[in-house]
Each structure stands twice: as structure tokens, then as C-alpha cells.
Amino acid sequence: MKVGAFIAGALPEGQRRQRKAIKIMFDGKDATINWNKEIKSARRRDAEDRTELKRCVKWCRANNAVFAISSAADLFTKRWQALTWLKHQVEMHDMRIMVADDPTISKGSIHVLSAAADVQRHRIAAKSRAALDDIKAKLAKEGSFTSKGGRKITRLGIHDKLSEAGAKGNQTQAELARERDDEVWPIIKQCLGQGLGYAGTARQLNAMGVETPSARARHDRETTGEWYASTVRNIALRRG
């Protein structure tokens, strides 16, 4: 069995822990492990900008190897992000996956696990919005709100125009996103019309060398972006 093991960027002790967990997972198995260690970065990066991660995935695809990590928590900050990314690798490249601290994550289960994590994420977001609405209602009615910790709150935000400023910023970003969508939509529309689906369209865009929205948005630095099924889906949904 060939294995592409990815060690996510972390402090030396954390990377040693990841390596040990992966080695234990394949202990007793006839496995040849190709190690790929990511350099720790203080800056948050998208998957398409993580060079070592992309190199590991590329090696796995070329060698029909298993993609192995110690934990979904090591791969991305949020579990749902890790599961979504792994799901896309399975969809696009039929890649086998193994996770040391969670044997239930596999090529066969990833779609169900990813969907469940997404539902949980939206449920938490809904509860957060409800709690915020409750605070706003009490502020409007009583003029103040006392948290469970005893902290008295008289208003939300840094200034009175916070919501307005946020709305303007969101509008600007949405307009820029629409402009970037317009550049690639004809190609995406044609691919989808031919029945390629989101994953197939992403593979076609990668093969054609079409820049991703993230790559086109970052003019101050170079980026080697890769299309994912989710990227294509998001653009298609925005186009209605």
C-alpha cells in the first residue's frame, strides 16, 4: 500500500505528534509512506495556496495512494472545513483517505459525515443569530443586557454606524465577486450544459489553466489556485 502522509503546519512538537499518530495507524500494515511536511505559517491560507498539501494530493493521485492525516482538526481549523475538503478530493479524484484519530472517516463515509457537519454548522449559526437577536430586543426594550458572567451591555458594535458600514463593505465585496464570476461563467455554463457536473467542471477548468476567483482577487501576490467542485457550485448558485 502506498500512502501520502500530510503533516500540517504546526510547532515541532505538534508535527511529531501528527507523524507518530500516522505511523501507528499503519503499524503492521505493508505500507510505504511518502511524508509531506508543511511549514508552519502565521497567516491563514486557503487550501489552494497550501503548496505542500497540494503536492501531497498530487502524489497520491499519481501513485494511486491513500491520503493520510492524523486528524481533521490538524488539516483545518473547523471540522466541517476539513470534511468538505476531503469530500471534494473523493468527488474529483476518487481518492482514498484515512484519518488516524477517526477511523470512521473514509472514502465511503465522507459524504454523509460532511453533510452532517454542515447541518450542525448551520444549526450553531442559527442559535448564535437567535441569541444576538434576543440581546438586541432587550437593549431596545430595557436599554441594557446583563450577560451570564454579570457583564452589563448597553450597546452592540464599535459605533452606531457599524451595521451600515458592514453592509457597505459586504456590498462592495459582492460586486467584486460578481465581476470575477462574469469572467468565467461562460466556460462554467458550457461545461455544466454538457453534463460535466460541478466536479467535472472543476477538473476541466484546472486542465485549461483557468484562474480561480481567489487567484484573480489577489493582485499583490502570486497564487497557484486550484478549482474545486464547491467553487463551481458557489458561482453557479450566485448566477441563479
Side-chain angles (χ1 to χ4, degrees):
M1 177 195 304
K2 291 184 178 180
V3 178
F6 177 70
I7 307 296
L11 294 173
E13 182 179 349
Q15 292 197 322
R16 285 194 293 270
R17 173 187 57 76
Q18 292 181 53
R19 188 183 184 95
K20 181 179 179 181
I22 294 172
K23 287 183 70 176
I24 291 174
M25 180 168 60
F26 291 101
D27 188 33
K29 298 182 175 68
D30 185 17
T32 302
I33 303 177
N34 179 279
W35 296 96
N36 299 264
K37 186 167 72 172
E38 183 178 53
I39 298 174
K40 178 176 171 55
S41 174
R43 185 182 63 188
R44 182 179 176 181
R45 294 176 297 174
D46 294 334
E48 61 189 36
D49 295 326
R50 296 171 68 177
T51 305
E52 200 60 40
L53 177 59
K54 292 181 63 177
R55 183 178 292 119
C56 183
V57 170
K58 185 177 181 179
W59 186 87
C60 288
R61 287 160 48 191
N63 292 273
N64 192 28
V66 175
F67 176 80
I69 54 175
S70 64
S71 172
D74 292 324
L75 189 60
F76 288 99
T77 306
K78 305 291 186 181
R79 177 179 170 83
W80 68 265
Q81 293 175 317
L83 294 176
T84 298
W85 184 85
L86 289 169
K87 182 188 71 171
H88 292 159
Q89 303 311 307
V90 171
E91 287 179 344
M92 294 174 63
H93 311 301
D94 197 31
M95 191 168 69
R96 291 173 292 161
I97 53 178
M98 291 182 69
V99 181
D101 73 345
D102 192 346
T104 64
I105 300 177
S106 67
K107 176 181 173 181
S109 68
I110 190 62
H111 288 79
V112 174
L113 294 174
S114 177
D118 202 44
V119 169
Q120 179 67 10
R121 174 171 67 99
H122 287 296
R123 186 176 298 155
I124 292 172
K127 289 178 65 176
S128 298
R129 285 194 297 270
L132 182 58
D133 289 341
D134 183 54
I135 294 174
K136 288 179 178 179
K138 288 188 177 182
L139 288 176
K141 182 179 179 180
E142 304 172 10
S144 66
F145 172 82
T146 303
S147 68
K148 291 182 179 179
R151 179 166 169 257
K152 188 175 182 179
I153 301 170
T154 57
R155 67 174 182 171
L156 296 174
I158 300 172
H159 55 76
D160 294 337
K161 298 292 185 179
L162 184 63
S163 296
E164 182 181 343
K168 288 182 178 179
N170 291 338
Q171 182 179 356
T172 299
Q173 291 302 317
E175 290 174 355
L176 292 173
R178 280 195 294 270
E179 290 177 4
R180 292 190 293 268
D181 290 353
D182 288 341
E183 297 174 12
V184 295
W185 176 243
I187 301 174
I188 292 176
K189 183 179 180 181
Q190 181 180 10
C191 291
L192 293 176
Q194 293 173 350
L196 293 183
Y198 296 139
T201 299
R203 285 193 293 269
Q204 181 65 20
L205 291 168
N206 286 327
M208 294 171 64
V210 177
E211 283 190 320
T212 63
S214 296
R216 295 197 305 280
R218 298 167 186 164
H219 303 294
D220 59 333
R221 65 183 178 90
E222 293 184 359
T223 179
T224 54
E226 181 174 349
W227 285 89
Y228 295 103
S230 61
T231 316
V232 176
R233 177 179 177 273
N234 290 339
I235 292 176
L237 290 176
R238 284 197 293 267
R239 300 295 296 201

